[in-house]
Amino acid sequence: FSVLQRILTNVIANPGEGKYRTLTKSKLEGKLSPIGIQILMALGFTDMGEALVLPSGNPGDDFLQAKELLDCLTMSADGEPIAEVDAEDAELAEALRLSMDDGDPGPTKRPRPNEEDD
């Protein structure tokens, strides 16, 4: 995720700089998985043959949300507490914490009703 995170961070931090909006495919080979390419395409990058290009303009909320999600996934993979992920979005942090809770005891057994002897 680190290459994808860095790409998203650079575009968000420098929305007007073209060098962060044009990604040469040959430089991405072996560094970014096919799913990473698909994510970039879903976020607005266009395949221009030898490069992926993001049209000029504000990258939008999708970039911020994708970056926050990658940050959360990275932190959970590194074993960092989910509560520190995003103090501004408590609902997202709580949902992620609940979805990744290792303390789940699994399904609970229902007690069987007592059978009466006839």
Side-chain angles (χ1 to χ4, degrees), residues 30-98:
K31 296 179 184 176
L32 190 63
S33 67
I35 191 73
I37 301 282
Q38 290 176 347
I39 290 169
L40 291 174
M41 302 281 287
L43 290 171
F45 277 86
T46 304
D47 188 344
M48 303 299 280
E50 294 184 17
L52 298 177
V53 179
L54 181 67
S56 62
N58 185 347
D61 289 339
D62 291 344
F63 268 78
L64 292 172
Q65 291 174 354
K67 184 183 176 313
E68 286 178 2
L69 178 60
L70 286 172
D71 290 345
C72 291
L73 291 171
T74 302
M75 286 181 182
S76 68
D78 292 341
E80 294 185 33
I82 296 298
E84 296 176 16
V85 169
D86 189 344
E88 294 179 30
D89 194 345
E91 281 184 23
L92 174 63
E94 179 64 10
L96 286 167
R97 186 190 66 74
L98 290 173

